[in-house]
Amino acid sequence: LQRNHSGRYHCGGWVPSYWSESKRVTVTVHRVPLSGVSLSAQPPGGQVALGDSLVLSCKVAAGTGPLSFSWHREGSGAPLGTGPSLELQHVGDNDSGQYRCWVSDGESVAESDPLNVTVL
């Protein structure tokens, strides 16, 4: 369900020999709360060889947009990125740790479970 689903709705159908329609109803979608924020990694599992690249992706199961994203690593102050994905190129030992994605719809913030990244 999204805000653009707001509108007037009705249904209709053939009743033995004529077409019949219901009364119209107005549906207004105000806001769909954020839920189901999840992370995935490529390569899968968050294990990456030293010097290789890692891509983390953040997905949202439901929520009214527009959405904004921020990436965080445990122990790191500033956000690492602001898009739905984060690419770590030429990973080093200091890139190991727990990563989370925070998503905001302008009214609330939801965060993913942590994903452990291990540099091998």
Side-chain angles (χ1 to χ4, degrees):
L1 193 61
Q2 298 294 322
R3 283 188 181 160
N4 65 346
H5 292 131
S6 295
R8 294 182 51 80
Y9 290 85
H10 71 282
C11 63
W14 286 101
V15 180
S17 60
Y18 64 95
W19 180 259
S20 180
E21 290 187 357
S22 70
K23 292 182 181 178
R24 294 183 186 268
V25 296
T26 300
V27 174
T28 304
V29 179
H30 296 283
R31 179 168 118 43
V32 178
L34 292 170
S35 65
V37 178
S38 62
L39 288 184
S40 61
Q42 188 62 296
Q47 293 189 344
V48 60
L50 186 68
D52 283 354
S53 294
L54 174 71
V55 177
L56 302 176
S57 297
C58 186
K59 300 229 189 282
V60 179
T64 306
L67 303 177
S68 60
F69 298 84
S70 64
W71 290 91
H72 303 269
R73 184 177 70 235
E74 184 179 35
S76 175
L80 304 171
T82 57
S85 64
L86 175 69
E87 183 173 1
L88 303 174
Q89 298 180 346
H90 311 293
V91 297
D93 290 328
N94 59 337
D95 290 315
S96 290
Q98 287 190 338
Y99 287 75
R100 290 182 190 264
C101 173
W102 294 1
V103 182
S104 174
D105 61 5
E107 295 181 33
S108 63
V109 175
E111 66 180 59
S112 68
D113 287 337
L115 177 78
N116 287 315
V117 170
T118 305
V119 178
L120 306 171

